[in-house]
Amino acid sequence: MFKRSVLPIDDLLKKFLREQGLETPLLQKRCIDAWETVAGKTVTRYTTEKFIRNQTLFVKITNPALRQDLSMMRSQLVKRLNQEVGAMVVTEIRFY
């Protein structure tokens, strides 16, 4: 009898994404999409642009007072975003 190593589809997909270099961009996209869930709908209304560069999430906030409040909550937001994604994607958030 042949012995076959049977792997779950989840493990195969993760392995394929990692080999093709697509794992990090996918996690970054998930992190950007998780912003609305983590920050809330009110903050999302004042958010115009989001992108990640060098493990730093850059978020453009149009309301200066809200930008200042969010700046004081940076570490909490980083922690919650990474928990939402399930991986360490961002280490810092910068508001502009």
Side-chain angles (χ1 to χ4, degrees):
M1 285 277 171
F2 291 105
K3 256 192 174 178
R4 296 182 184 185
S5 64
V6 179
L7 296 173
I9 190 80
D10 183 39
D11 292 343
L12 291 173
L13 283 173
K14 286 180 183 177
K15 182 180 177 185
F16 174 76
L17 290 172
R18 192 172 302 119
E19 288 173 354
Q20 297 300 315
L22 300 172
E23 184 179 35
T24 302
L26 180 62
L27 290 173
Q28 289 176 347
K29 173 72 169 121
R30 287 181 183 167
C31 184
I32 289 171
D33 291 344
W35 174 255
E36 182 177 352
T37 306
V38 170
K41 291 184 180 185
T42 306
V43 174
T44 304
R45 241 184 312 173
Y46 295 102
T47 303
T48 57
E49 297 176 20
K50 303 175 292 263
F51 64 92
I52 296 176
R53 184 176 296 142
N54 297 330
Q55 292 186 321
T56 301
L57 174 64
F58 293 89
V59 182
K60 185 171 186 177
I61 304 290
T62 57
N63 185 324
L66 180 61
R67 188 181 321 129
Q68 182 64 32
D69 288 345
L70 290 174
S71 293
M72 290 185 259
M73 298 173 47
R74 280 185 187 152
S75 60
Q76 295 169 346
L77 290 169
V78 167
K79 183 178 176 182
R80 289 173 49 197
L81 279 169
N82 288 328
Q83 284 177 344
E84 186 76 24
V85 174
M88 185 67 159
V89 179
V90 294
T91 56
E92 185 180 349
I93 298 178
R94 290 195 182 164
F95 301 102
Y96 66 98

